[in-house]
Amino acid sequence: MPRTEIYGVRHHGPGSARSLRRALEEFKPDVVLIEGPPEADVIVELAADPGMVPPVALLAYPADTAARTAPGGEPDAPGRRAAFWPFAEFSPEWQAIRHAVETGVPVRFCDLPAAHQLADPAEPAAAAAPEPTEPDGDETERIRLDPLGWLAQVAGYDDAERWWEDVVEHRGEGPSPFPAIAEAMTTLREDLEARPLQGGHAVPEAYARRERQREAYMRRTLRRTLKEGYERVAVVCGAWHVPALRAAVPVGQDDRTLRGLPKEKVALTWVPWTHGRLAHWSGYGAGVRSPGWYHHLFTSPDRPIERWLTAAARLLREEDLHVSSAHVIEAVRLAEALAALRDRPLAGLEEVTEATRAVLCEGAEAPLALIRHRMAVGERLGTVPDSTPMVPLQRDLQAEQRRVRLKPSALAKEHDLDLRKPLDLERSRLLHRLRLLDVAWGEPGPGGGRSKGTFRETWTLTWRPEFDVELIEAGVWGTTVLGAADARARALAAETATLADLTSLAERCLLADLGDALPAVMRSLADLAATDVDVLHLMAALPALVRALRYGDVRGTPTGPLRTVVDGLVVRICVGLPPAASGLDDDAARDLLRHIDAVHESLTLLASAPAPAAAPLGRDAPAESRPVARPGQEEAASDHVNRWQNTLAGLLDRPGLHGLVEGRLTRLLHDTGRLDDVADRMARAVSIGHVGHEPARAAAWIEGFLSGGGLVLVHDEALLRLVDGWITGLSADSFTDVLPLLRRTFGQYAAPERRAIGEQARRLGTTAPSRPADDEDLDLARALPATRTVAQILGRPV
């Protein structure tokens, strides 16, 4: 007589996993059915490979994802759908798979096929139930979406996870919990069926419809398995489904439930997963609160509290915090005492956390947060064997990761790359190519990760499971990372409609060393630059081009076409700026000022030659990693700077110039040494009696002059006296009007800078104006090196 055992489990519960393993060893099934997509039957045997280390997940995606493109070249939106079925070591389903492959027993998945789940346009594919609703929702809705939460409430618990831990996860050796779980679910479902779902709850109704389809397919699979002649069938599914699989439902009813379901061709594979993605706060409906804690409970059944607190103490010692063995002993005693007071069979994470805070951390929250992040949740990243089905782009990335010696990790790691070293240069190119494919494995630091004038880039690398989906989608562009990034850059060049975006794309091509795609990008860039007459668009495009030129030189990348475009842009900007600066309101003046600052900084950067290598690179270093002098480039950059400064000087005295712009131009030309009458200009600007110089315009002039830093007031006492005299001479009404502008200006300075200005202003009334030092007091020979350095920084001729 065939015998079927149905084991209702929590999807990621260590107690369920341990009890299930014992039950399977006792039952000795000749086939195991597991809740999951049946398309994965052909790859389930990979679980026996030593290279398969959980957490891992089954990934289902449309089989034609790599071939489906939208008219513009982007992957079509439907191709971006995917579903995951995660497994941790403490997942009961994973332990059922391991038992089957270790004993040579067939293992099959019995859930609704992924082909139906991904094809349903009305409901995204999901591997588990949605998250529970709020406690004040409709009672029937709450039972449907969170049956365990409802049982916990009936048992007097305000936390469903804590109730499940007490009755299942923290159980030691003893009777199997599965009969009691099945009885509880049966009673709950019978009560639910007696309560009709009230109107207005579309989401629960859609969820219930999908659940009926899933359970019908599970029953169909079970019938087919028994018909094949298996005598001892073990079924592992979510506890909620146990009564449905035991019910005597007619075959015809299940056939009607499953008739006409949409279907799509799908592919399945195994991918690495992380503990962080198993946590419920990640959005995973069947997630648990503390994956790291559950992993510990499953792998350390002997004295778990003592082992956990010992590991926490070790972690704190690694952070140079003093934690002794006596701390650990007292923390264990406190956790056990709290569990006894709360009538819990074993100290849970709450008790252990409270003991950790009180004893190991001595009440401090910062070290406790570290323990929560590293241990309670954890960032364990699983691995899959090389024999796992992958698209060519995934395999190429794995080869590239081995070649440049960058191992994926779920824990964020910072990398400081020296682009003079061949290995670091290759790492940088790989990370930039992946970003072009929207695979943000590496996040650059501030300023794009580059330090001005150096050969260094900073990156933060964090591998996330969804990158595998993005790689599958990016397969439309090519089979290798280099080829796919090259094709994607060409497609973007054909689609991009703004000059600033095209210049940014050109910069990205240089950083990724996409020499084959760069000509196409440059053709689009040159065509658009020749027809764009908006000077603000031209100014917005210049900074990215200059960065590409500068750091392209550092990388040894050919940049001739870029330099040609830059030369043309600078000339057109200088010609178009004066007309664009006329008749501006406050918002337009502020916008123009932002572009002027960006162009000024870019041209100053362009005029400074790449810094030479600090040390020899060795004979084996490739030529592209060495700085190369290019004749004529320094002269061209100097010409651009002179043309730009002449344009600013000619614009400065134009009538009707907005005070904000006039003040900023005065400051820029003052910093470059082009003005020797700054004090007189400021005096005229802030003069209350001067025609047309009302307080608001004077405040705008001051804001423009001081934007970007107020150290000029610290080191130039004459200018500080002018500003101070103007402010103290304002009437009460005028001071009230200009105060918001002044607060905005000075509020942008760092605290030490504001403090230095205040100290200088406080001394103004007690000291006479200082005089410049006599020439005989200066040691010109000693001052010359410092003067040259400062002049180069400011962009002045040396």
Side-chain angles (χ1 to χ4, degrees):
M1 183 69 180
R3 179 182 170 189
T4 300
E5 289 289 342
I6 302 175
Y7 302 100
V9 299
R10 187 185 186 189
H11 286 296
H12 305 293
S16 295
R18 193 176 296 113
S19 298
L20 177 64
R21 193 67 186 252
R22 289 198 301 266
L24 291 175
E25 291 171 355
E26 179 181 346
F27 180 51
K28 295 181 175 56
D30 51 10
V31 65
V32 178
L33 304 182
I34 298 174
E35 182 180 327
E39 295 94 339
D41 288 350
V42 295
I43 59 173
V44 69
E45 293 295 333
L46 288 172
D49 193 302
M52 183 77 77
V53 180
V56 293
L58 286 170
L59 164 63
Y61 60 93
D64 59 345
T65 292
R68 176 184 292 160
T69 57
E74 287 284 350
D76 194 9
R80 294 187 180 275
R81 290 174 293 112
F84 295 93
W85 286 261
F87 301 92
E89 188 172 359
F90 52 83
S91 301
E93 295 89 344
W94 179 256
Q95 290 303 315
I97 293 173
R98 291 294 304 169
H99 171 83
V101 297
E102 289 171 5
T103 58
V105 172
V107 56
R108 300 175 181 177
F109 291 101
C110 61
D111 203 349
L112 188 69
H116 298 312
Q117 299 197 39
L118 289 181
D120 191 345
E123 184 177 354
E131 294 182 86
T133 56
E134 293 298 324
D136 58 351
D138 176 72
E139 187 174 278
T140 304
E141 177 183 343
R142 292 174 57 204
I143 297 176
R144 284 176 180 269
L145 296 182
D146 188 20
L148 296 183
W150 183 254
L151 287 176
Q153 181 177 337
V154 173
Y157 284 73
D158 58 0
D159 186 337
E161 189 156 346
R162 182 170 178 175
W163 170 79
W164 184 262
E165 288 177 354
D166 283 354
V167 300
V168 177
E169 309 302 352
H170 292 171
R171 290 170 53 91
E173 300 292 336
S176 171
F178 298 111
I181 293 173
E183 181 180 356
M185 293 297 109
T186 300
T187 302
L188 192 58
R189 290 188 67 138
E190 290 174 352
D191 180 68
L192 180 63
E193 290 173 0
R195 305 182 185 199
L197 183 66
Q198 299 178 8
H201 297 286
V203 173
E205 182 56 36
Y207 174 64
R209 173 177 55 83
R210 173 52 58 87
E211 291 300 284
R212 289 193 296 271
Q213 294 169 354
R214 295 178 61 199
E215 291 169 350
Y217 196 89
M218 291 182 193
R219 288 191 292 266
R220 173 185 285 183
T221 304
L222 179 56
R223 295 190 196 102
R224 185 185 304 120
T225 303
L226 292 172
K227 190 175 181 180
E228 291 176 4
Y230 290 102
E231 297 291 332
R232 305 177 69 83
V233 181
V235 182
V236 180
C237 62
W240 179 251
H241 302 300
V242 173
L245 298 188
R246 288 182 170 180
V249 179
V251 175
Q253 180 177 331
D254 284 344
D255 290 342
R256 287 191 295 272
T257 301
L258 297 172
R259 186 176 299 137
L261 290 180
K263 189 174 183 180
E264 181 172 357
K265 187 177 180 180
V266 300
L268 269 84
T269 187
W270 290 99
V271 295
W273 205 250
T274 67
H275 274 180
R277 285 294 188 271
L278 287 170
H280 63 73
W281 50 258
S282 69
Y284 174 40
V288 295
R289 183 170 49 204
S290 307
W293 169 252
Y294 274 10
H295 178 83
H296 174 77
L297 287 181
F298 184 78
T299 57
S300 304
D302 177 43
R303 307 182 72 87
I305 308 305
E306 291 87 341
R307 296 180 186 277
W308 177 270
L309 291 170
T310 299
R314 185 182 305 115
L315 175 61
L316 294 178
R317 292 191 194 106
E318 292 173 355
E319 298 296 325
D320 295 328
L321 297 175
H322 175 67
V323 181
S324 67
S325 300
H327 283 89
V328 177
I329 295 172
E330 290 303 317
V332 171
R333 290 174 177 172
L334 178 56
E336 292 176 343
L338 289 172
L341 287 173
R342 297 168 181 173
D343 196 25
R344 303 197 68 182
L346 179 72
L349 184 60
E350 293 84 356
E351 290 75 25
V352 172
T353 299
E354 291 177 29
T356 301
R357 177 192 289 110
V359 182
L360 301 187
C361 302
E362 298 180 346
E365 289 296 328
L368 183 65
L370 177 67
I371 293 173
R372 283 172 173 160
H373 176 68
R374 296 275 189 88
M375 294 180 60
V377 175
E379 286 300 338
R380 183 184 297 269
L381 176 65
T383 61
V384 298
D386 292 338
S387 55
T388 303
M390 297 181 188
V391 298
L393 190 59
Q394 288 176 292
R395 291 204 179 278
D396 183 69
L397 176 57
Q398 284 191 350
E400 288 292 294
Q401 289 169 335
R402 289 191 290 266
R403 183 177 67 86
V404 299
R405 299 201 290 274
L406 283 179
K407 184 178 180 180
S409 171
L411 187 64
K413 292 185 178 180
E414 291 190 0
H415 291 263
D416 187 11
L417 304 183
D418 186 341
L419 302 182
R420 297 169 297 178
K421 298 178 179 179
L423 179 61
D424 282 0
L425 183 61
E426 289 301 314
R427 288 174 171 177
S428 172
R429 289 169 174 169
L430 174 62
L431 295 174
H432 281 295
R433 289 167 185 169
L434 288 174
R435 288 182 65 80
L436 259 171
L437 297 174
D438 295 327
V439 181
W441 177 26
E443 289 291 341
R450 297 180 296 275
S451 301
K452 293 180 180 178
T454 73
F455 293 83
R456 294 192 177 275
E457 281 184 349
T458 58
W459 292 84
T460 301
L461 270 58
T462 311
W463 185 263
R464 299 195 297 272
E466 55 266 29
F467 289 159
D468 284 292
V469 179
E470 293 167 1
L471 285 168
I472 292 170
E473 294 173 355
V476 66
W477 305 113
T479 59
T480 67
V481 175
L482 175 59
D486 186 278
R488 178 77 192 283
R490 293 171 186 267
L492 289 174
E495 299 167 8
T496 304
T498 67
L499 197 56
D501 289 342
L502 269 177
T503 55
S504 176
L505 178 61
E507 180 184 18
R508 296 171 70 185
C509 286
L510 280 172
L511 296 174
D513 192 29
L514 302 179
D516 292 339
L518 190 58
V521 177
M522 293 309 304
R523 283 194 298 270
S524 299
L525 178 59
D527 293 344
L528 190 57
T531 58
D532 199 325
V533 296
D534 191 328
V535 70
L536 293 185
H537 290 173
L538 303 179
M539 296 174 77
L542 186 66
L545 284 176
V546 169
R547 288 194 304 268
L549 276 176
R550 177 64 186 274
Y551 299 112
D553 285 347
V554 169
R555 292 166 174 267
T557 307
T559 57
L562 277 178
R563 186 168 295 277
T564 301
V565 176
V566 167
D567 293 343
L569 283 182
V570 172
V571 173
R572 295 178 61 195
I573 288 171
C574 291
V575 172
L577 180 59
S582 302
L584 302 178
D585 60 15
D586 291 344
D587 292 337
R590 205 169 299 280
D591 187 42
L592 178 63
L593 197 64
R594 179 172 56 85
H595 287 89
I596 288 175
D597 284 341
V599 171
H600 186 82
E601 181 181 0
S602 299
L603 293 180
T604 302
L605 176 66
L606 185 62
S608 58
L617 297 176
R619 292 178 297 177
D620 296 332
E624 69 233 23
S625 65
R626 305 173 184 270
V628 180
R630 292 174 172 80
Q633 290 185 3
E634 293 78 7
E635 292 80 357
S638 179
D639 291 342
H640 291 330
V641 171
N642 291 334
R643 181 181 291 109
W644 171 250
Q645 292 179 3
N646 290 336
T647 300
L648 297 185
L651 181 61
L652 183 60
D653 294 322
R654 289 172 63 95
L657 194 62
H658 194 281
L660 190 68
V661 177
E662 182 180 337
R664 185 57 181 158
L665 297 185
T666 303
R667 173 65 180 276
L668 293 178
L669 293 172
H670 169 67
D671 289 345
T672 57
R674 294 290 296 264
L675 293 181
D676 55 7
D677 60 344
V678 174
D680 294 338
R681 289 177 179 273
M682 179 179 284
R684 291 195 301 269
V686 301
S687 175
I688 298 177
H690 199 282
V691 178
H693 285 201
E694 64 278 2
R697 188 185 190 284
W701 197 99
I702 293 295
E703 180 184 358
F705 183 82
L706 297 179
S707 63
L711 287 179
V712 65
L713 296 182
V714 177
H715 300 294
D716 196 324
E717 186 176 317
L719 296 182
L720 180 60
R721 285 182 179 275
L722 285 171
V723 175
D724 182 68
W726 168 66
I727 294 175
T728 57
L730 290 172
S731 65
D733 292 341
S734 297
F735 180 78
T736 301
D737 292 339
V738 303
L739 181 59
L741 298 177
L742 294 175
R743 290 187 63 180
R744 179 172 58 194
T745 301
F746 286 90
Q748 295 174 353
Y749 302 156
E753 198 170 8
R754 294 198 302 268
R755 189 181 306 112
I757 294 174
E759 292 173 354
Q760 287 290 92
R762 187 169 55 249
R763 288 195 293 267
L764 289 179
T766 60
T767 60
S770 59
R771 297 182 297 106
D774 296 333
D775 290 345
E776 56 267 20
D777 296 333
L778 298 176
D779 188 336
L780 298 179
R782 295 179 61 189
L784 184 59
T787 304
R788 285 177 173 169
T789 301
V790 173
Q792 186 177 12
I793 293 174
L794 296 177
R796 295 186 181 184
V798 180

